[in-house]
């Protein structure tokens, strides 16, 4: 009787454990966005915005320049690993992967893109609407590969991650007169928020339930922007940081609104701003030594083709730098940001 009681207890406990694990597990990571989370999609399209050559990827597995804009992995690679999935998220257009790989993770991101199609037009990269088309195609492939029931389970349980917006401001609004003659900066933010909201709704209608909406970094502190801030002693451009803060506030508001509007959605705002700024203000706390210029080349303006193996100024130890090229963090900085977001926001999806 006593033994029976104990084994019954063990059985119910292990059943509870199994249910808890299977209910909370994330079977896949699905990514949309820009160079912060591109893993090589731009290699497959006719754009000059590429990074599939050395020294990009020199600290990636096998030293491979995959098309990630870093010396190593990007944040969604670390997030995938932290969720118990692959240690990297492959690019949808990369011919070396297929649907069996993409069943646990895929990125549709394209360097240089933004919420605004006018932004993706600047360097002929993949606009957000096209990323969504690829996602629909992916869902169809997944259903053919695994059957409808299993595929829908994956889509429902997958963590959908978005990371974009910086290019809408820096590559588009503040560089070309089109949008800035049409909209005030506040109006442009609201225009982008409208696009972000529609995008989330479309993901929801396609079956996505777990979504992380990524915020902007302190974009006035990117080395390329600091380089242009000659009058300000090459410090961070405060105006750009303030726009990032303002826009992040609106993204956060959007997650609150949509969480009420869309039943069953788990929509969270992942904010990299403060951890990023903390790294820049207190580099020694993280073991960084250089914050204002990047590792690659002179560190002041080079990215893409200007950051290449012929440049003798490239640093030898990227882990002392927050920035790899003039616009993108090092793998180490990406890792710190990902851990922070994982522990503070995304842990609920584990
Ligand atoms: C995917 O690629 C792997 C290895 O290249 C291969 O073994 C597998 O059959 C492919 N799967 C599909 C569904 O095409």
């Amino acid at each position: 009787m006593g033994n029976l009681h104990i084994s019954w207890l063990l059985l119910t406990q292990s059943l509870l454990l199994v249910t808890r694990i299977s209910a909370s597990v994330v079977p896949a990571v699905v990514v949309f966005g820009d160079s912060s989370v591109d893993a090589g999609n731009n290699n497959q399209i006719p754009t000059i915005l590429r990074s599939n050559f050395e020294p990009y990827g020199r600290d990636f597995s096998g030293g491979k320049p995959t098309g990630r804009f870093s010396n190593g992995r990007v944040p969604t690679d670390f997030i995938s690993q932290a969720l118990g999935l692959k240690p990297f998220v492959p690019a949808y257009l990369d011919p070396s992967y297929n649907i069996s790989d993409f069943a646990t993770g895929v990125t549709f991101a394209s360097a240089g893109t933004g919420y605004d199609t006018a932004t993706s037009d600047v360097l002929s990269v993949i606009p957000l609407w096209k990323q969504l088309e690829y996602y629909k195609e992916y869902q169809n492939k997944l259903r053919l590969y695994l059957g409808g029931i299993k595929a829908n389970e994956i889509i429902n349980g997958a963590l959908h991650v978005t990371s974009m917006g910086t290019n809408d401001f820096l590559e588009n609004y503040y560089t070309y007169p089109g949008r800035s003659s049409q909209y005030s900066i506040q109006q442009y933010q609201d225009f982008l928020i409208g696009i972000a909201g529609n995008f989330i709704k479309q993901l929801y209608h396609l079956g996505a339930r777990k979504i992380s909406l990524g915020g902007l970094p302190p974009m006035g502190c990117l080395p390329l922007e600091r380089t242009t801030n000659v009058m300000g002693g090459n410090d961070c451009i405060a105006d750009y940081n303030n726009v990032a803060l303002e826009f992040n506030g609106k993204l956060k508001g959007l997650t609150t609104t949509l969480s009420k509007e869309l039943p069953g959605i788990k929509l969270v705002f992942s904010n990299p701003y403060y951890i990023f700024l903390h790294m820049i203000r207190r580099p020694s706390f993280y073991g960084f030594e250089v914050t204002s210029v990047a590792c690659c080349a002179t560190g002041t303006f080079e990215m893409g083709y200007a950051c290449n193996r012929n440049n003798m100024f490239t640093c030898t130890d990227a882990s002392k730098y927050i920035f790899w090229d003039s616009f993108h963090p090092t793998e180490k900085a990406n890792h710190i940001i990902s851990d922070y977001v994982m522990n503070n926001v995304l842990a609920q999806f584990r």
Side-chain angles (χ1 to χ4, degrees), residues 138-196:
Y138 162 78
Q139 288 200 347
N140 292 335
K141 287 183 184 168
L142 198 64
R143 291 193 177 100
L144 279 175
Y145 177 58
L146 296 172
I149 294 174
K150 184 77 186 121
N152 288 348
E153 259 172 40
I154 290 179
I155 292 158
N156 260 248
L159 177 61
H160 296 70
V161 179
T162 73
S163 176
M164 75 200 96
T166 303
N167 296 321
D168 291 309
F169 296 102
L170 300 186
E171 183 192 326
N172 183 1
Y173 189 88
Y174 288 116
T175 305
Y176 291 97
R179 289 309 191 197
S180 45
S181 62
Q182 202 177 355
Y183 298 115
S184 73
I185 187 65
Q186 269 76 27
Q187 287 169 334
Y188 188 58
Q189 289 180 36
D190 294 338
F191 170 73
L192 299 179
I193 291 290
I195 297 169

Side-chain angles (χ1 to χ4, degrees), residues 95-101 145:
S96 42
Y97 299 99
N98 62 30
I99 193 64
S100 71
D101 306 296
Y145 177 58

Side-chain angles (χ1 to χ4, degrees), residues 227-246:
T227 299
T228 66
N229 192 16
V230 177
M231 300 302 287
N234 295 118
D235 203 348
C236 302
I237 301 182
D239 282 354
Y240 291 174
N241 282 356
N242 289 335
V243 168
L245 278 171
E246 223 168 51

